[in-house]
Amino acid sequence: MTLLLKSDAERGEEWTRLLAKKAPKLPFRIWPDIGDPAEVRYLAAWIPPDGLFEQLPNLELLISVGAGVDQLKLADIPKHLPIVRMIEPGLVDSMVEYVTMSVLALHRDLVPYIAAQREQAWKPLRIRPASERRVGVLGLGMLGKACALKLAEFGFGVAGWSRSRHEVAGIATFAGDDELPAFLARSDILICLLPLTDETRGLLGAELFARLPQGAMIVNAGRGGHLDQGALLTALDSGQVAAAVLDVCEPEPLPSGHPLWNHPAVLITPHIASRSRSEASLDAVIENLRRHRAGEPLIGLINRDRGY
Ligand code: NDP
Ligand code: OXD
């Protein structure tokens, strides 16, 4: 009943140390040292190497070490294999911090102030109360809902959009493609926390920008593939979009010389909004292994047809 990890060296060292305390009887291997392939029942990975599934005839569970599963080639993963994603509180806390930081930076005019500082210009702008700014969160899942609730505490008018209808106290909720235009029309700051799927790829494009209020601002902490980067540059140049905070881009890293790097209205971070924390993610893995053995529902089980 071996657990095999395919990840970076840092996570490998931490899991080895923590498993010795938390689950000393669980056989644990770090790829490429897989031992007897027939013994491997559980695989935890970000991107499984090509051909690994064919090598592991008795694999029973695939665990994504991140919250997203878009990095997996779902079509190449044996159909019978359940896939779970990482659900742990640290991932949520870090994303709430990042999104709060970004929204406050945009709301409090940090982008023009950075530009003014470069010119040694002292240019105070009117402080706009949070109650005069409407924030929209694309995606009301584990991350989007927590961010929406935190932002509401500042007094922003917060709304969220999801595929199915949600009810969240203090948040205006919109569901499905039919309600997207109304949601966008009231989003002065738009945050993307959607999973990347066939349906959401390229959603942050020219058509969506045109539906936002003039001078809206964007935070993309989902995936680079959600954003049409060329359309963003056009919208920034026309003033339809006033500023953007991008934690993700396509490709990553953004190629040197790309016009987004030096755009005065764009803040870029290197996909650091959140990351699963070793101890809590290992606890989540151990709990899912227990559930799997006991035949109980798995936490974070993805629906392959939806792609998230
Ligand atoms: P969840 O699966 O919990 O939530 C996804 C949300 O998106 C749900 O509300 C879902 O609707 C909604 N959604 C999905 N597809 C559509 C659609 N076609 N139309 C409308 N709504 C849709 O995901 P998480 O909140 O855990 O994570 C979201 C994403 O954040 C991850 O997939 C990953 O890409 C990204 N991420 C980025 C990180 C970073 O560091 N930048 C770190 C971690 C995650 P419904 O509720 O109806 O199902
Ligand atoms: C994730 C990520 O999905 O790191 O966890 O982006």
Side-chain angles (χ1 to χ4, degrees), residues 218-255:
I218 311 282
V219 178
N220 188 15
R223 288 288 184 259
H226 286 128
L227 176 67
D228 177 341
Q229 293 173 170
L232 175 63
L233 285 163
T234 305
L236 286 165
D237 290 346
S238 73
Q240 175 60 20
V241 171
V245 178
L246 307 178
D247 181 55
V248 285
C249 50
E250 203 168 79
E252 290 180 2
L254 197 61

Side-chain angles (χ1 to χ4, degrees), residues 33-61:
D33 172 26
I34 66 176
D36 177 358
E39 290 294 316
V40 177
R41 299 294 166 95
Y42 314 112
L43 171 64
W46 179 243
I47 300 181
D50 285 343
L52 185 60
F53 295 107
E54 289 76 53
Q55 278 183 276
L56 305 176
N58 297 320
L59 196 60
E60 292 176 13
L61 180 63

Side-chain angles (χ1 to χ4, degrees), residues 161 174 176-186 211-212:
W161 180 71
F174 295 77
D177 292 346
D178 291 350
E179 295 182 14
L180 183 60
F183 163 81
L184 295 172
R186 47 82 58 224
R211 292 189 181 278
L212 293 169

